[in-house]
Amino acid sequence: MSESITLSEICISASSKAWEGEGEILATGIGLIPRIAAGLAKLTHNPDLMMTDGETYLISQPAPMGKRDISHDLVEGYMSYSRVFENLWGGKRHAMVTPTQIDSFGQTNISAIGDYNSPKVQLLGVRGFPGNFINHKNSIFIPNHSVKTFVSSAVDMVSGMGYQNKDLSNGKFEIKLVVTNLGVFDFNGKDDSFQLLSLHPGVSVDEVIENTGFDVIINSDKATPMPTDKELACIREILDPQGIRNSIFGE
């Protein structure tokens, strides 16, 4: 591809690997980068993914970002809210989310910052996080990797459970992948510790350590793989032809 590869495209490609090898499960990308990443996974390494149009239908081809002609959607079936929950409760869903805080246990917060009884900032509330994290695996995308997000102590309000309570789940709890503007991570280090898998171009290990409020296991300092030509074509021509992804990092 003649155009230079952007950070958003690197993050989309890396995030799409969250659904690799997972077969026929419901993929939910919450937010722009996760949504494009889920679509990329379906178009490349996991065509069996179930994906909705964001409303009521299962579609066989991911919907592009921005305005579109819905008459072009390839509808496979009806996907009511109740059917979404059947997949959710059965562990047949994998969502990628963007919490406001995450701690060393993998606990996540989207509810409030500060003392819960008198918060500095009121956020969304817990929304679907409690049920999601108990019932199925999740991955995480963080656009601004900093100690404000990767906090030094426990999150201010536990919206999504962490690894220290994983025995309370239905056995499906897992944070499979964490992708940020700095690199790719998971919680597969010793005793479910947070570990670095790869660094994005121009990022150093010291930068990761400085911007994470808890210890990071340096499993690898290799470079994050660049998107392939096929992935770039899918992103640029099918999934996000309007370039909305560029708004995430101001590219």
Side-chain angles (χ1 to χ4, degrees):
M1 305 291 275
S2 57
E3 298 177 49
S4 59
I5 297 172
T6 64
L7 177 57
S8 62
E9 291 167 340
I10 293 170
C11 289
I12 290 166
S13 173
S15 296
S16 78
K17 306 306 188 292
W19 291 279
E20 193 166 19
E22 300 212 318
E24 192 177 15
I25 64 167
L26 180 61
T28 305
I30 301 176
L32 183 60
I33 296 295
R35 172 110 180 238
I36 299 173
L40 182 62
K42 186 171 178 63
L43 291 176
T44 55
H45 50 72
N46 192 350
D48 293 330
L49 280 178
M50 293 188 292
M51 185 165 293
T52 74
D53 62 354
E55 295 182 9
T56 57
Y57 293 107
L58 280 173
I59 50 178
S60 58
Q61 290 291 317
M65 299 300 101
K67 293 182 179 180
R68 73 182 195 276
D69 183 349
I70 62 172
S71 68
H72 294 162
D73 290 354
L74 300 178
V75 175
E76 291 187 325
Y78 185 57
M79 194 67 170
S80 65
Y81 210 46
S82 62
R83 291 190 67 190
V84 170
F85 275 95
E86 288 174 5
N87 284 276
L88 189 160
W89 291 324
K92 298 296 185 180
R93 182 183 188 232
H94 183 168
M96 178 171 279
V97 297
T98 301
T100 303
Q101 291 181 326
I102 182 169
D103 62 27
S104 62
F105 300 111
Q107 296 180 137
T108 49
N109 173 25
I110 59 168
S111 185
I113 302 297
D115 183 348
Y116 189 73
N117 294 315
S118 182
K120 295 178 181 177
V121 180
Q122 177 66 55
L123 303 171
L124 293 172
V126 298
R127 306 291 290 181
F129 267 42
N132 293 352
F133 278 80
I134 286 175
N135 285 296
H136 61 71
K137 70 175 64 175
N138 295 269
S139 289
I140 291 171
F141 170 67
I142 301 294
N144 184 14
H145 190 137
S146 74
V147 294
K148 289 184 178 180
T149 299
F150 293 90
V151 295
S152 58
S153 56
V155 295
D156 292 338
M157 195 280 178
V158 179
S159 304
M161 64 178 289
Y163 276 91
Q164 84 278 36
N165 298 125
K166 64 182 179 181
D167 292 341
L168 299 177
S169 77
N170 67 357
K172 300 291 185 179
F173 170 77
E174 179 186 353
I175 298 175
K176 185 173 180 181
L177 209 61
V178 180
V179 178
T180 81
N181 60 312
L182 299 184
V184 181
F185 309 80
D186 65 19
F187 278 88
N188 290 329
K190 183 179 179 181
D191 298 324
D192 302 315
S193 57
F194 189 64
Q195 63 177 2
L196 172 67
L197 302 180
S198 67
L199 294 167
H200 297 333
V203 178
S204 68
V205 169
D206 287 344
E207 191 173 355
V208 168
I209 293 171
E210 180 182 349
N211 285 282
T212 308
F214 47 84
D215 291 341
V216 184
I217 305 300
I218 310 303
N219 177 276
S220 171
D221 61 355
K222 67 181 182 181
T224 302
M226 293 296 97
T228 65
D229 284 350
K230 180 179 180 180
E231 289 177 326
L232 289 173
C234 288
I235 294 168
R236 296 172 180 178
E237 299 169 18
I238 301 173
L239 298 169
D240 185 28
Q242 299 178 45
I244 300 173
R245 65 190 177 279
N246 298 327
S247 64
I248 298 300
F249 301 115
E251 297 166 319

